[in-house]
Amino acid sequence: MRKKIIAANWKMYKDLAEANDFFTFFIDKLPKTKAEVKIGTSYTNLWHAFETTRNYPIEIVAQNLHQEEKGAYTGEVSASMLKSIGIETVIIGHSERREYFGESDHILKQKVTTALKNNLNIIFCIGEKLSDRKANNHFDLVKSQLKNALFDLNKKDWKHIVLAYEPVWAIGTGETASPEQAQEMHLFIRNTIAGKYGNELAENVRILYGGSVKPDNAGTLFSQPDIDGGLVGGASLEVDSFIEIIKAV
Ligand code: PEP
């Protein structure tokens, strides 16, 4: 049985004071849940958020890391720097990183390798643009994202990988993939992994859905057989809506 995950992606929102405010109320209201709860926040918040939540069932995760171990890369943060403040998980391959920061499948593969070498767990994002879906190319595109970045991994590496299927056309747009569209792609992803690594491994990989998850659509999305929770952007910024989404598991 795969344990569900509800992960927040705060993107470039919330300074330290705003993050503190959030945690004050969130910790107080956090319901008992079967899900793992994770919050992805900016580098500047990570250490403090980690310390604030360390006695609660909340994991603080990073939104990015650099692919090199160390070096003259001004402004970048390495895997070992994340580990040194207690971070265990990093989001890699978010569509905003692919789109605005030129992160190709090749770079993402390097980031995955570096993260795994440093014993970090990974939430790896994949998903097609609207143009791919309109051209009926969405399955091929998602398959190529998986293949190019992840299919050289060993079976044992997959213990550290969670996938997030995030159709780009549904991120921050208020447009959600229907539960049927999302389930169809999640099943395709699982079958593609099974084709490469076998059924047992594929059945254990958790695949989150992301793209305008809100309290009113979360329950139906999370009840699909191959949807193992959500990566939530906008609706994770407010305590009450994020709590409602957690309750939908
Ligand atoms: C995201 O940032 O990963 C995301 C899914 O955002 P939103 O929920 O706002 O669409």
Side-chain angles (χ1 to χ4, degrees), residues 9 11 94 96 166 170-173 210-213 231-234:
N9 175 23
K11 312 188 189 205
H94 192 280
E96 288 151 15
E166 301 205 302
I171 297 180
T173 59
S212 298
V213 174
L231 182 57
V232 187

Coordinates of all heavy atoms in Angstrom, one line a residue, residues 9 11 94 96 166 170-173 210-213 231-234, ligand 1:
N9 N 4.3 23.4 -2.4 CA 5.4 24.1 -3.1 C 5.1 25.6 -3.0 O 4.3 26.1 -3.8 CB 5.4 23.6 -4.6 CG 6.5 24.4 -5.4 OD1 7.4 24.9 -4.8 ND2 6.3 24.4 -6.7
K11 N 7.0 28.0 -3.8 CA 7.7 28.7 -4.9 C 8.4 29.9 -4.2 O 8.9 29.8 -3.1 CB 6.7 29.2 -5.9 CG 5.8 28.1 -6.4 CD 4.9 28.5 -7.6 CE 3.9 27.4 -7.8 NZ 3.4 27.4 -9.2
H94 N 10.9 20.9 -11.6 CA 9.6 21.7 -11.7 C 9.5 22.4 -13.0 O 10.6 22.9 -13.5 CB 9.5 22.6 -10.5 CG 8.1 23.2 -10.4 ND1 7.6 24.2 -11.2 CD2 7.1 22.9 -9.6 CE1 6.4 24.5 -10.8 NE2 6.0 23.7 -9.9
E96 N 8.6 25.2 -13.8 CA 9.1 26.6 -13.8 C 10.7 26.6 -13.9 O 11.2 27.5 -14.5 CB 8.6 27.3 -12.5 CG 7.1 27.6 -12.6 CD 6.4 27.7 -11.3 OE1 7.0 27.8 -10.2 OE2 5.2 27.6 -11.3
E166 N 2.7 16.9 -13.3 CA 2.1 18.3 -13.3 C 1.9 18.8 -14.7 O 2.9 19.3 -15.3 CB 3.0 19.2 -12.5 CG 3.3 18.8 -11.1 CD 3.7 20.0 -10.3 OE1 4.7 20.7 -10.6 OE2 3.0 20.3 -9.3
A170 N -2.0 23.3 -16.3 CA -2.9 23.3 -15.1 C -2.2 24.0 -13.9 O -2.8 24.1 -12.8 CB -3.3 21.9 -14.7
I171 N -0.9 24.4 -14.1 CA -0.2 24.9 -12.9 C -0.4 26.4 -12.8 O -0.1 27.2 -13.7 CB 1.4 24.7 -13.1 CG1 1.6 23.2 -13.1 CG2 2.1 25.4 -11.9 CD1 3.1 22.8 -13.2
G172 N -1.0 26.8 -11.7 CA -1.3 28.2 -11.4 C -2.3 28.8 -12.3 O -2.5 30.1 -12.2
T173 N -3.1 28.0 -13.0 CA -4.0 28.6 -14.0 C -5.5 28.5 -13.5 O -6.4 29.0 -14.1 CB -3.9 27.8 -15.3 OG1 -4.2 26.4 -15.0 CG2 -2.6 27.9 -16.0
G210 N -0.1 17.4 -9.6 CA 0.0 18.8 -9.3 C -0.6 19.6 -10.4 O -0.4 19.3 -11.6
G211 N -1.3 20.7 -10.1 CA -1.9 21.5 -11.1 C -3.2 22.0 -10.6 O -4.2 21.3 -10.7
S212 N -3.2 23.2 -9.9 CA -4.4 23.7 -9.4 C -5.2 22.8 -8.5 O -6.5 22.7 -8.6 CB -5.3 24.3 -10.5 OG -4.6 25.3 -11.2
V213 N -4.5 22.0 -7.6 CA -5.2 21.2 -6.6 C -5.8 22.2 -5.6 O -5.1 23.1 -5.1 CB -4.3 20.2 -5.9 CG1 -5.0 19.5 -4.7 CG2 -3.7 19.2 -6.9
L231 N 1.1 17.6 -5.2 CA 2.1 18.7 -5.1 C 1.2 20.0 -5.3 O 0.7 20.2 -6.4 CB 3.2 18.6 -6.1 CG 4.3 19.6 -6.0 CD1 5.0 19.6 -4.6 CD2 5.4 19.3 -7.1
V232 N 1.2 20.8 -4.3 CA 0.2 21.9 -4.2 C 0.9 23.2 -4.2 O 1.7 23.5 -3.3 CB -0.7 21.7 -3.0 CG1 -1.9 22.8 -3.1 CG2 -1.3 20.3 -2.9
G233 N 0.6 24.1 -5.1 CA 1.2 25.4 -5.2 C 0.3 26.4 -4.5 O 0.3 26.5 -3.2
G234 N -0.4 27.2 -5.2 CA -1.2 28.3 -4.7 C -2.0 28.0 -3.5 O -2.0 28.7 -2.5
Ligands
PEP1 C1 3.1 23.7 -8.4 O1 3.7 24.8 -8.2 O2 3.8 22.7 -8.4 C2 1.7 23.7 -8.6 C3 1.1 22.6 -8.9 O3 1.0 25.0 -8.5 P1 -0.6 25.2 -8.4 O4 -1.1 24.3 -7.4 O5 -0.7 26.7 -8.0 O6 -1.1 25.0 -9.8

